[in-house]
Amino acid sequence: MTANSLSCATCPVRDRAACAALDEDERDELARLGSHRTLRRGETLFAAGDDNATCATLISGALKISSFDEGGTEHILSLIHPAGFVGEMFAPLARHDVIALTDSQLCLFTRDRYEAAATRFPALGQALLRRASEDLFESRALIALMTGRTSRQRIAGFLMAMANAASDSPCHPAASFDLMLTRGELGSLLGLTIETVSRKISQLERDGVIRRNGSRGIELVDAARLGSMAS
Amino acid sequence: MTANSLSCATCPVRDRAACAALDEDERDELARLGSHRTLRRGETLFAAGDDNATCATLISGALKISSFDEGGTEHILSLIHPAGFVGEMFAPLARHDVIALTDSQLCLFTRDRYEAAATRFPALGQALLRRASEDLFESRALIALMTGRTSRQRIAGFLMAMANAASDSPCHPAASFDLMLTRGELGSLLGLTIETVSRKISQLERDGVIRRNGSRGIELVDAARLGSMAS
DNA sequence: CGTCCGTTTGAGCCCCGTCAATGTATGTGG
DNA sequence: CCACATACATTGACGGGGCTCAAACGGACG
C-alpha cells in the first residue's frame, strides 16, 4: 500500500509544496525517507494525544484540523489544501486531530525523520517557516472573519475564500466549486449551528447571489455582491 | 535613542527569544545588525500596508496584532508577550498592525537583514519556525476559545490564560495580575462588545470568583471555579 | 474645577441557538 | 424492486443571550 520510494516526478504539487525548495538530489534523498498514503473521507491521520506524530504533505484532497471540547463537539481550526503541510514538529504529542474531508493522498514522513531533514537541508526548514507563516496568516484571517460579524457575513466571506482557493488564478474567484464540508462542519468552522448555516445559504440563494447544485455544489451568480456582503 | 549595538548580556529574554538558539559569536554578529527601540502605549510599530516592514523581538511590555475592517473597527488577532517575535518575513508588505499595549522595549531589525541572518544561521531559522508553530497553536487556541462559547466562558478562559501567562511557573496561574487591555480591546479580542465584557466581569466578581483592583487589576479568588467556567 | 477617557449599569430589541418535524439522497437487506 | 435505515439538509416556532442605544460614574490630568 505504501511504496518504498516516492515518485516526485509526477507529483501534482511538486513545485508548490515545501519540498519544492530542494534541489533534485536533496529531494531524492528526502523521498527515500517517506511513503504514500491514502485516506478515505472521515479517516483521521492522527489524533490529539498521539505521540507517534507524523508529518505529511497533502497531495490531493482536503484535510481539516479539529479540536474536540470536553462536551465532545468538534471545532474545526483550519482547512488544509493540496501542497499544505500538517504535523507537529516540536510538540512531544499532537494537540489536534487531523481528519480527511475528502478522499486524500498524502506524502508521509515520521516526525523525527522530517525534523532531521529540515535541519540537514536548510532550504526545507526555510520553506516550512514560510508555510507556517502563511498558515498563521490564514488562521488570523479566520479569526477576523469570525469576530463581530453576522452569520451572513461569515458565510459570504467563507464562500468567497473557497471560491478563491478553488480558482487557478489567484485574483479571480472560481465561478463554481464543490464544498468539501458538510453543513455541520461548516458550522463548527464558522462558529454557527447547522441550522443557521443552512438558513443563510438558502437566503443567499433566494437573494440571487449564489445557486446550489445538489447540497455540495455552489455556483457564484453575483460574486461582487457576495464579496460586498462579507464586510 | 537607538544604540549601535545591542547588549545581549543583560537582555531579560536572552534565553527565551529566538536568538537564544545562536551561539555567542553568531549572536554578537546578529546584534550588530539590530537596534533597540521603545514604544509608548498606543504607538504602532508598523501598520498594514507598510512596505518597509521590520522584524522585532519583544524584550519587555506587550504588543497586539490588529486588523481594522472597512468600518474602522479593530480586531485584535494576537497578543505578543516578551520574547515573542513580530514581523512579516515573507510577505512584501505588512498585513496587520502591530501596536504597543503597554510601554515596551523591542529589539529591532530590518526585514532583509533578519531574513539574511535566518538563512546564514540555520539555528535561527529553526528557532523562528518553532516560534511560528507556537504562534499558530495559540492562534488556533483563540479560535477554539471563541467558537461556540458564551461570553462568560470566553472571559473566564481569557482570564485563566492571562493568569497562566503572568505566572513564572508554567502550571500554576498567578494569584493576581494586571490586564494590559482596556475593556474595548478585550472585546475586540474575544469578539464581544465593551458593555458585555464589563457586565460579565462584574458578574464574575459578584459570583465571588475574582476581585477587581481598580479597573485593570484582577485577583483570582477561586481559580479552580474560574477554570471550570471556561469550558 | 472641568475635561477627557474608560468603565459601569440599565432598557429594549434582534439575531442566532435550541427544539422539533419534514425532506432528500444513499445504501442495505428482504 | 420495495421497505427500511442512516445520514445530511431544510424549514418553522420560540426563547434567550448579546448587541444597540443611552445615561451615569470614576479616575487622570490640565
Side-chain angles (χ1 to χ4, degrees), chain A residues 182-184 194-195 198-199 202 212 215:
Chain A
T182 68
R183 297 290 185 267
I194 297 179
E195 297 92 329
S198 182
R199 263 187 270 267
S202 300
R212 280 183 290 191
S215 58

Side-chain angles (χ1 to χ4, degrees), chain A residues 3-20 22-36 57 59 107-109:
Chain A
N4 275 352
S5 148
L6 303 171
S7 51
C8 299
T10 62
C11 178
V13 297
R14 61 169 289 162
D15 41 30
R16 289 155 49 215
C19 42
L22 300 175
D23 65 33
E24 197 120 356
D25 292 344
E26 294 171 331
R27 193 174 53 213
D28 287 350
E29 188 174 336
L30 179 64
R32 252 172 269 125
L33 303 174
S35 59
H36 277 169
T57 292
I59 299 173
C107 200
L108 214 64
F109 301 87

Side-chain angles (χ1 to χ4, degrees), chain B residues 137-149:
Chain B
F137 175 70
E138 277 184 18
S139 177
R140 286 171 178 168
L142 179 59
I143 294 176
L145 177 64
M146 289 178 51
T147 50
R149 299 191 127 77

